[in-house]
Every structure is written in structure tokens, then in C-alpha cells.
Amino acid sequence: MKILVINSGSSSLKFQVIDSESEQVLAKGVCERIGIDGRFTYKINTGISLKEEVPMSNHTQAVHTLLDTLADPEQGIIRSFSEIDVIGHRLVHGGEKFTGSVVITDEVIDAMTECNDLAPLHNPANLVGVDACRRLMPDTLMVGVFDTAFNQTMEPKAFLYGLPYRYYEKYKIRRYGFHGISHKYVSQRAAEFMGQDPKRVKTIVCHLGNGASISAVKYGRVVDNSMGFTPLEGLVMGTRCGDVDPGALEFLAKKENLDFPQIMAILNQESGVLGISKNFSSDFRELKDAEIKYNEKAALAREIFAYKVAKYVGSYAAAMNGVDNIVFTAGVGENDSDIRQEICDYLEFLGITIDELKNREHAEAIRISTGSSRVNVLVIQTNEELEIAREAAALAQKILRPDRQA
Ligand code: ADP
């Protein structure tokens, strides 16, 4: 099957076409600056690549552009749109309603719209992408894959805050956890790479990108995830603060005469390693370069980041009463060997030892711990698009070709 994977944001829309049998990426690209002017980047596996300005005043035009290019006789990979069997959409927040992937119907869209106030930045943007695809390909099966769904196995002891219970009952205020698509893919790939049964291992996945989260996956089920009601909780991130005492925010609001939207803008956009480094950078490569040149605040930002990751890993080892695999993934986790080493230095008490040479290698999946390390430490490249394609193909298989089911 050919699966079109769509990740729709407020002004950008990323896409990939994946062959579900070979798991090869046939084409990929991104529509950017939607509603502003429009920029289209596109690449196919035979080598053709495009980067051009294409007017895109809305998401429907963006989807139009990508579909026309995919079906173009010279640059495309399909002869007609009907060759796309399924469209898999990345959807950020499914609340408590969605514990797995779903076929997108009017009812699902209504239920998702109800979740909009849980993720006001992301969900409406996701739905605009869904709507654009439904307009242009009304007969194609669409599957929604939620970033919160994998985390829905968390128990109340992990997902409830120490707030009055009535607010959970009334508004569903609780921890949801995010990056679930990545945590699922990476935890399963780790078990596969190590030749383990995923139902028998305890894995901690450190998804360290611009947004960063950690999950504890015990026997294939998430027991905890460091992000919370929103993706602001947990680790110190590129520009997000992570865990902060709400009392400090009230104090700050009073001192600087700030209202809630202003405070939230500071926490989301001006904090994290960017804020700690006194606005030097949210990019870990730039922070590392600056650290080498004795920029103290850049060094401090990286130090705080690593310390916080190690603390979460330690607490998740306790939450699962042990850990077999610790996996690093996403931009920082996959590429920054110094941060990995620094984090693992804190974890010697778990019997972890790192092979310094292996830690500097690059691969789709690699074990960087020594043979005598009591816990496997791995680096695995995340692949959220492939996970979405797999989920979409599995659901489509059930619906389109039920006869092929075992
Ligand atoms: P997101 O998807 O949340 O935007 P990514 O997973 O793409 O984030 O990660 C982006 C981060 O990865 C950036 O902070 C960038 O600095 C970092 N990164 C990418 N390559 C490297 C590298 N070689 N060394 C250190 N950090 C890197």
C-alpha cells in the first residue's frame, strides 16, 4: 500500500509517501509559510528534488500543490491520486477519548474538536490539514494517529496531579504525556534491535529534541511520560521551561505586572536552554560551540539539561522497579555524544558503562554501552512518519482487505 503521511502545523505541512510493504520513503517534502507566501520543498527517492516558491494561501492549496506534484508525469511517483491507499495524519491531542489510532470520520472530527481547548496551538492546525485532504481526496481512507494515544496506558497514580479531584472530573485536568508516536516506535525498535520480546523489557526512552520528553515503557505499556497536561512539563527544553513551581510564576507575575498569556509566552518561548543561556541559543550545537569558547551560561544550560534528564531516568527506573534499556533519540539524543556521556555519568549507580568509541559512531540503531554494562544504552533514530504509516496501514488492512486478516 502507498501511505501518504501528513503532519499539519499552523503554517507548515510536512508529508511523506511510504510504501508500507518495503517501508521505503517514495517521496517527501514540506509546504511552509502557508498563509504568508508559500514555499514548497520536495524530494523523491530517484533523486529529483525541488525547492520553489508556490503561492499557498491556505492548507487546501498546500495539499493541492503536493498532490499535483506527486502525480506529475515528470516529477511524481504516482499516475493518479487513487494510487494513494490511505492518508495517515499525525494528530497531537486525543484527550482520554483516543487510546489508539482511528479511521477519521465526522464523529472523530467532532470528538477531536472537543479536545481543541486541550491543545489550542496544535489540534486546530492538525484538523485544517485533515479537512484539506478530505476536500481534495474525499474517497480516500484517512487514519488519525495521536501523539497522546501511546501514553494512555498511564495509571491514575502517574497521570493525576495533586489538585482537587473535581478538576479532573470537570475538565479532565491531568497529565497526558506527548511524543507518544516516537516513544512507541523507538521502544519497539530497541527491543527488536536487541532481540528482546517487547512484552518482557523495561525501557526508558529519552526523546531529546527541541521539545524533549522521557517515557518509561514497561512490558510494552507506558507507565509514565515527563510531559503533562501540555508539552510544557518535564525536562528543560529548547525554549520551554519544564517543571517550575507555580508559586514562582505568581511571584513573577506580580513583580513584572504580567498577565497569564504573557507568563505562558515566557514559559513556552523564552525559557529552556535559550533562557538559561541568556538568549544565546536554543540550538544545542551552538551551545556546545559556545561552551568550548568558555560561554559560562551556555555551559550551564547544557549542564542543567543533562542533570534533569538523569534525574528523570533515575526516577523512571524506580517507577518500573528496574530498567533494561535506556534509549536516546531525536535531534539532541541522536547527535550529541557529549550530552549522552554526561547523562550516563550520573547513572553509574545503575551499573551503566559507556563505550566511548561506540558513543561517537552514527547509525540508525546502535548500542553504546559496553558488553559488561548492566543496562543497555542505545541510540536509535526516531521515525514518527514510519510509525504513522504502519498504524495507518494496519488499520487500512483491516478495513480495505479484511479477507487478508489471519
Ligand atoms: P524538534 O523535532 O522538536 O524540532 P529535533 O528532534 O529536530 O527537534 O531536534 C532539534 C535539536 O537537535 C536542535 O536543538 C539541534 O541543535 C539539535 N541537534 C541537531 N544536530 C545536532 C548535533 N549534531 N549535535 C547537537 N545537537 C544537535
Side-chain angles (χ1 to χ4, degrees):
M1 275 193 247
K2 285 194 179 77
I3 320 282
L4 172 61
V5 176
I6 299 274
N7 183 353
S8 173
S10 56
S11 69
S12 73
L13 187 147
K14 293 185 201 144
F15 64 94
Q16 286 194 7
V17 179
I18 296 178
D19 178 291
S20 63
E21 277 86 34
S22 66
E23 300 203 328
Q24 292 293 310
V25 178
L26 306 177
K28 65 178 185 179
V30 55
C31 304
E32 288 170 290
R33 298 176 64 82
I34 301 169
I36 306 166
D37 40 19
R39 194 157 301 152
F40 182 63
T41 315
Y42 171 81
K43 204 172 177 179
I44 61 177
N45 58 355
T46 53
I48 288 179
S49 71
L50 297 174
K51 193 168 195 166
E52 48 192 29
E53 305 217 339
V54 181
M56 295 179 211
S57 58
N58 55 44
H59 285 67
T60 307
Q61 283 187 358
V63 174
H64 221 297
T65 304
L66 77 89
L67 288 176
D68 281 348
T69 312
L70 289 174
D72 183 89
E74 279 162 26
Q75 296 157 344
I77 49 143
I78 50 174
R79 281 179 301 271
S80 79
F81 297 167
S82 62
E83 282 184 45
I84 300 286
D85 298 285
V86 199
I87 302 182
H89 290 271
R90 176 176 189 237
L91 303 176
V92 168
H93 212 313
E96 287 189 331
K97 284 202 174 81
F98 299 104
T99 55
S101 301
V102 285
V103 171
I104 298 178
T105 59
D106 289 341
E107 291 74 41
V108 167
I109 291 186
D110 289 347
M112 261 202 80
T113 309
E114 279 174 33
C115 297
N116 272 0
D117 60 353
L118 292 177
L121 291 181
H122 296 99
N123 269 23
N126 295 160
L127 284 173
V128 173
V130 171
D131 185 57
C133 290
R134 287 181 114 206
R135 271 171 208 268
L136 297 172
M137 296 180 68
D139 300 324
T140 308
L141 182 71
M142 312 245 170
V143 169
V145 183
F146 295 93
D147 228 7
T148 46
F150 188 51
N151 303 320
Q152 275 294 309
T153 50
M154 281 195 280
E155 291 180 19
K157 68 181 177 190
F159 73 65
L160 282 177
Y161 290 112
L163 292 171
Y165 194 82
R166 63 179 180 277
Y167 296 131
Y168 169 59
E169 290 177 314
K170 223 167 156 183
Y171 306 116
K172 294 282 172 247
I173 295 179
R174 49 159 284 179
R175 307 181 57 256
Y176 289 94
F178 293 85
H179 287 145
I181 299 168
S182 175
H183 287 292
K184 182 174 186 189
Y185 174 83
V186 171
S187 57
Q188 291 180 350
R189 178 75 186 100
E192 180 188 55
F193 180 73
M194 293 304 297
Q196 301 157 329
D197 177 355
K199 298 260 177 307
R200 287 171 176 268
V201 282
K202 299 171 183 175
T203 300
I204 295 174
V205 177
C206 306
H207 177 110
L208 310 179
N210 204 8
S213 66
I214 303 201
S215 66
V217 186
K218 185 178 181 183
Y219 309 146
R221 292 163 65 86
V222 173
V223 300
D224 217 329
N225 179 292
S226 60
M227 284 178 164
F229 181 67
T230 73
L232 196 51
E233 188 180 336
L235 302 172
V236 167
M237 309 182 210
T239 63
R240 288 178 234 159
C241 58
D243 304 325
V244 178
D245 179 354
L249 304 178
E250 192 210 12
F251 184 86
L252 175 65
K254 278 188 187 151
K255 288 281 178 202
E256 301 251 327
N257 199 21
L258 300 170
D259 61 17
F260 247 110
Q262 289 169 314
I263 290 279
M264 293 310 288
I266 293 170
L267 304 186
N268 273 300
Q269 287 132 34
E270 298 175 29
S271 301
V273 292
L274 175 74
I276 296 168
S277 68
K278 288 190 150 181
N279 284 337
F280 182 79
S281 179
S282 63
D283 188 311
F284 280 76
R285 283 164 293 199
E286 291 179 8
L287 291 171
K288 187 157 63 178
D289 292 345
E291 183 177 358
I292 294 164
K293 293 173 192 146
Y294 304 106
N295 178 327
E296 277 178 25
K297 295 294 177 285
L300 181 65
R302 283 172 60 86
E303 191 183 7
I304 291 172
F305 178 84
Y307 177 67
K308 196 75 184 267
V309 172
K311 280 211 304 190
Y312 264 97
V313 171
S315 69
Y316 283 1
M320 295 192 290
N321 194 9
V323 53
D324 302 299
N325 304 325
I326 295 172
V327 195
F328 290 98
T329 193
V332 181
E334 290 168 24
N335 295 298
D336 195 329
S337 54
D338 293 341
I339 283 269
R340 290 196 299 257
Q341 182 69 60
E342 223 172 291
I343 293 164
C344 290
D345 285 346
Y346 287 106
L347 303 172
E348 261 178 36
F349 75 101
L350 289 172
I352 287 175
T353 47
I354 296 298
D355 179 328
E356 282 181 29
L357 290 178
K358 281 257 180 262
N359 188 28
R360 304 216 170 260
E361 285 177 27
H362 282 271
E364 178 270 321
I366 188 167
R367 180 179 164 185
I368 60 166
S369 51
T370 62
S372 60
S373 180
R374 267 197 279 137
V375 178
N376 304 308
V377 182
L378 310 169
V379 179
I380 290 183
Q381 288 174 10
T382 191
N383 195 338
E384 289 162 292
E385 291 78 13
L386 179 55
E387 184 59 37
I388 294 168
R390 284 178 179 171
E391 297 264 335
L395 258 185
Q397 198 84 26
K398 277 192 202 152
I399 290 160
L400 300 176
R401 301 172 185 171
D403 48 314
R404 294 214 189 160
Q405 293 296 299

